[in-house]
Amino acid sequence: MIVYFVEDDQSISYVIGKTLEKMGLDKKAFSTGKDFIKTYKESKPDLILLDIMLPDTSGIDLLKFVREDDKDIPIIIVSALFNEMDKVLALDSGADDYITKPFGILELTSRIQAKLRKVSNKKVVKFSDVTVDLKKYKVFSNNNEIILTNKEFEVFVYLLKNHDEVLTKENIFFNVWNTDFMGETRALDMHIKALRQKLDEVNSNVKIETVYGVGYKIGIK
């Protein structure tokens, strides 16, 4: 899982980054709203931590921007503003939680874990224009259903869930086929080829990149 956090105070950003590392989470730090928006449009995170007072914009504006695009990503406001009305505005604008500075590491860790537990239990995976219904075993792109075989579905979901990583063929085999036996590498290559073709047929922005000598990675065209 990956967490984006927007914080212009370098000392606080360092603390948040180290906390996420100790939790075993991938992270991306931003000091401006502009950089956050650019990266968000390319790839969505599993959770967002937002400061309100930023050098180029308000964290509330970033919050509203995300909520217009995605209603489900957990967003925690981390701010020095402690006025009740500031908290009400943030929560009414779509924040899931509000932590005031200075904060305790244990409190921050607990709040993040609580939100990520809900993410791990969700039945929908989203990436760019692709939405996967894990319960119904269905995949959609731009409201068009993509018909996949069971194994294509499992490979695609595994790639999507780990979109921030380059996955080796060995890793895919171990997690999808539940084996480290590499005798069927051609089968994996054929599934990747079929997935690419089906994504192209619905003009999806999502692509499966080949990282030569390593494996595959989900990206955006």
Side-chain angles (χ1 to χ4, degrees), residues 113-177:
Q113 287 176 334
K115 299 308 174 188
L116 289 180
R117 277 196 294 270
K118 293 182 179 180
V119 172
S120 63
N121 291 331
K122 69 181 182 180
K123 299 301 181 183
V124 174
V125 174
K126 294 182 179 181
F127 183 80
S128 187
D129 57 84
V130 167
T131 299
V132 179
D133 188 323
L134 299 176
K135 188 174 182 180
K136 296 181 179 179
Y137 243 60
K138 291 189 175 183
V139 180
F140 299 90
S141 173
N142 299 315
N143 296 319
N144 297 307
E145 184 175 358
I146 305 174
I147 306 301
L148 303 180
T149 66
N150 287 349
K151 197 57 70 175
E152 288 170 359
F153 181 89
E154 292 174 14
V155 170
F156 192 43
V157 168
Y158 187 66
L159 287 168
L160 288 173
K161 285 185 174 181
N162 297 277
H163 60 82
D164 54 318
E165 301 177 31
V166 176
L167 299 173
T168 65
K169 291 185 177 182
E170 291 85 355
N171 186 288
I172 297 172
F173 260 92
F174 183 78
N175 287 277
V176 175
W177 275 266

Side-chain angles (χ1 to χ4, degrees), residues 70-117:
D70 194 301
K71 307 296 184 185
D72 300 321
I73 296 176
I75 301 175
I76 301 176
I77 297 294
V78 183
S79 174
L81 300 178
F82 57 85
N83 185 284
E84 183 179 7
M85 290 309 299
D86 293 316
K87 296 180 181 179
V88 170
L89 175 61
L91 295 171
D92 285 349
S93 298
D96 296 284
D97 204 349
Y98 194 109
I99 301 175
T100 55
K101 302 173 185 177
F103 53 83
I105 300 301
L106 291 179
E107 177 189 14
L108 179 64
T109 301
S110 178
R111 301 282 189 98
I112 292 173
Q113 287 176 334
K115 299 308 174 188
L116 289 180
R117 277 196 294 270

Side-chain angles (χ1 to χ4, degrees), residues 8-81:
D8 63 322
D9 185 311
Q10 291 187 358
S11 61
I12 296 177
S13 179
Y14 176 81
V15 170
I16 292 175
K18 284 298 182 182
T19 300
L20 295 172
E21 282 183 13
K22 290 182 179 180
M23 295 176 69
L25 299 170
D26 292 320
K27 67 186 188 304
K28 286 186 179 180
F30 308 91
S31 59
T32 67
K34 179 181 178 181
D35 289 340
F36 166 79
I37 289 174
K38 181 178 182 296
T39 301
Y40 175 87
K41 287 180 177 180
E42 296 172 351
S43 178
K44 295 182 183 180
D46 296 295
L47 182 142
I48 299 170
L49 303 176
L50 277 180
D51 188 10
I52 291 180
M53 296 183 292
L54 297 167
D56 63 337
T57 187
S58 165
I60 298 298
D61 290 337
L62 295 182
L63 170 60
K64 292 177 179 178
F65 164 79
V66 174
R67 282 294 172 251
E68 287 178 0
D69 175 71
D70 194 301
K71 307 296 184 185
D72 300 321
I73 296 176
I75 301 175
I76 301 176
I77 297 294
V78 183
S79 174
L81 300 178

